[in-house]
Amino acid sequence: MKGRKLLMIPGPIEFEPDVLQAMSIATNSHVAPDFIEIFGKSLELMRAVWKSPKGQPFIISGTGTLAMDMAAANLIELGDRVLVISTGYFGKRFKDILDRYGANTTILEAPIGEVVSLDAIEKELKQGQYKFLTITHVDTSTGILVDPKPIAHLAKKYNVLSILDGVCSVAGEELKQDEWELDVVLTASQKAIGVPPGLALLMASEKAMQVWENRKTPVSNYYADWNNWLPIMRAYEERRPSYFGTPAVNLIVALETSLKIICKEGIDQRVKRHQNLAKSFRAGIASLNLEILPKTNTIAANTLSAVYYPEGINGTSLSATMVESNVIIAGGLLPEIKPSYFRIGHMGSVSSNDLIAVLSALERALIELGHPIESGKSLQAFQNGLLKIN
């Protein structure tokens, strides 16, 4: 009998055994030659995963919110106009961060389950002299997927920097930072990157670095200031010891391991795997007459699913019943509808067997709680979906 439960929330996720083993080694000095090699290699591998050979990578101890904070702190000066394109909780969080640094923010909020139209974005860019805009690639609160490519092109058209919150997308959704001309793409370790929580990861374009270098006022966040971190990143990539703040040594060893796993699979193949599993999983969910939060499948994320509870089913009871089947899911996060839906993560090293286990546990929980469904129906729909793809 397995001694642990299957963690199927939208981060932290289930991690590869090799990644966990890498974390368990004796902690090394942060200036030891072998660790410097690991850190430098991690920076190089990030460029491959982000598809940004020209980008400047940063690996900092912290969370995805720190990565958002770092982008804002280094690029915002008092009064700068910023357009926030929001599809949920984390779009609003970005606005809160930007406001803290004195930005003049405008937020375009999509109705629940929808995305902001390109026409609305362009209309707003025409009206104001914006310095940059933010996009949430996948909002973890809603499971909404935004296509950043056309928005990045609009940003370039109006000479606006583009910042992509890729916390729940990098290494799970399609991303071509340099080709799409995204200026900053940030994420965190505990989602599709596949490393336990604790690392903020960010890639800045040459243009973003130039804007930062030309700012007229000092960066107002000491810890997040690229003036402190850029020399460290360059030193490690040149395989030289350096110090500003002690890095999370074991997490970075695990990061290199995971990035190697990702690159061995191939980032395009990895994204395709996420797409195939998510499409089949949504078919399984639909077969149970359950509705997902995104209004259409085309804007549904491939890294997690947000699903409405069926009428008459208590969310707490559903989660508790699934835990009895050794599967852990997440509740809702968006305040307006938090009690009405749940979320299931399917990113990173997720396999078809993991999702079969989730659907099995979900079916049993629904039947036990009195929801009329046909046992095995979602499993059949999921398997048929995979067979069509293959």
Side-chain angles (χ1 to χ4, degrees):
M1 179 178 173
K2 190 171 73 168
R4 59 182 299 275
K5 302 182 189 304
L6 184 63
L7 185 63
M8 297 301 291
I9 65 175
I13 63 169
E14 291 282 331
F15 303 114
E16 292 280 1
D18 286 352
V19 171
L20 297 176
Q21 185 176 357
M23 275 200 70
S24 69
I25 65 171
T27 302
N28 201 351
S29 165
H30 58 288
V31 291
D34 52 348
F35 176 71
I36 293 171
E37 176 61 32
I38 287 168
F39 201 129
K41 186 64 176 177
S42 297
L43 292 165
E44 293 164 359
L45 290 168
M46 279 179 64
R47 291 197 182 92
V49 172
W50 270 247
K51 292 196 173 182
S52 181
K54 297 179 181 179
Q56 174 57 58
F58 291 88
I59 301 172
I60 312 294
S61 300
T63 66
T65 301
L66 173 67
M68 296 165 76
D69 195 68
M70 178 172 276
N74 284 279
L75 294 175
I76 279 293
E77 295 188 74
L78 187 64
D80 283 344
R81 296 202 66 194
V82 184
L83 180 61
V84 175
I85 301 163
S86 177
T87 50
Y89 181 92
F90 289 97
K92 296 174 186 176
R93 172 171 289 188
F94 224 148
K95 182 183 186 305
D96 290 343
I97 294 170
L98 293 160
D99 288 345
R100 186 65 61 92
Y101 289 105
N104 179 3
T105 55
T106 298
I107 185 167
L108 291 178
E109 292 188 72
I112 293 174
E114 301 179 23
V115 298
V116 179
S117 72
L118 289 175
D119 287 343
I121 295 169
E122 182 159 25
K123 180 180 178 182
E124 188 59 43
L125 289 174
K126 282 180 179 177
Q127 292 176 353
Q129 294 295 315
Y130 286 99
K131 184 175 184 179
F132 66 81
L133 58 79
T134 72
I135 313 159
T136 311
H137 198 179
V138 169
D139 198 298
T140 316
S141 71
T142 58
I144 297 288
L145 172 67
V146 172
D147 183 359
K149 182 179 178 180
I151 302 175
H153 286 175
L154 281 178
K156 184 182 180 185
K157 178 179 177 180
Y158 291 95
N159 195 28
V160 174
L161 291 175
S162 53
I163 298 179
L164 184 71
D165 171 0
V167 169
C168 201
S169 69
V170 174
E173 302 283 2
E174 185 180 22
L175 172 67
K176 299 176 180 179
Q177 181 170 356
D178 284 8
E179 181 181 324
W180 296 349
E181 298 183 279
L182 290 159
D183 291 297
V184 174
V185 178
L186 59 93
T187 192
S189 56
Q190 76 273 13
K191 295 187 185 281
I193 288 290
V195 177
L199 294 177
L201 308 171
L202 184 147
M203 187 76 69
S205 71
E206 293 175 316
K207 183 179 178 182
M209 296 305 293
Q210 288 169 3
V211 169
W212 164 71
E213 288 169 356
N214 292 329
R215 60 180 293 137
K216 297 179 177 64
T217 57
V219 174
S220 58
N221 183 320
Y222 181 75
Y223 183 69
D225 191 347
W226 286 344
N227 283 295
N228 293 323
W229 289 113
L230 183 58
I232 311 303
M233 300 303 119
R234 286 176 172 168
Y236 276 122
E237 198 158 8
E238 293 167 2
R239 306 308 194 262
R240 295 184 289 106
S242 191
Y243 171 77
F244 168 63
T246 305
V249 172
N250 289 58
L251 280 171
I252 292 170
V253 174
L255 176 65
E256 186 208 25
T257 302
S258 190
L259 291 173
K260 283 181 175 178
I261 290 170
I262 292 168
C263 290
K264 183 178 180 181
E265 180 179 6
I267 189 61
D268 292 337
Q269 290 77 9
R270 185 180 180 88
V271 168
K272 192 67 177 175
R273 171 169 61 83
H274 279 76
Q275 291 171 342
N276 292 342
L277 287 173
K279 182 179 180 181
S280 300
F281 186 71
R282 288 193 294 270
I285 292 294
S287 74
L288 300 176
N289 297 318
L290 300 179
E291 293 184 10
I292 59 173
L293 192 149
K295 292 291 180 65
T296 66
N297 281 324
T298 56
I299 59 168
N302 298 299
T303 50
L304 82 149
S305 292
V307 186
Y308 286 109
Y309 295 115
E311 188 176 348
I313 295 295
N314 177 274
T316 301
S317 298
L318 179 69
S319 296
T321 307
M322 289 188 69
V323 167
E324 291 174 5
S325 294
N326 295 316
V327 174
I328 301 172
I329 62 172
L333 182 59
L334 195 66
E336 301 95 305
I337 56 169
K338 186 174 182 178
S340 66
Y341 74 109
F342 61 98
R343 295 170 299 142
I344 296 170
H346 35 79
M347 67 187 98
S349 61
V350 67
S351 70
S352 58
N353 289 338
D354 294 329
L355 294 180
I356 287 171
V358 172
L359 290 169
S360 296
L362 179 60
E363 281 193 3
R364 288 197 299 274
L366 289 170
I367 292 169
E368 286 181 31
L369 295 171
H371 184 59
I373 60 168
E374 182 183 338
S375 178
K377 194 169 185 180
S378 70
L379 302 177
Q380 184 178 23
F382 178 74
Q383 297 280 43
N384 286 343
L386 287 181
L387 289 169
K388 285 179 183 177
I389 292 166
N390 296 331

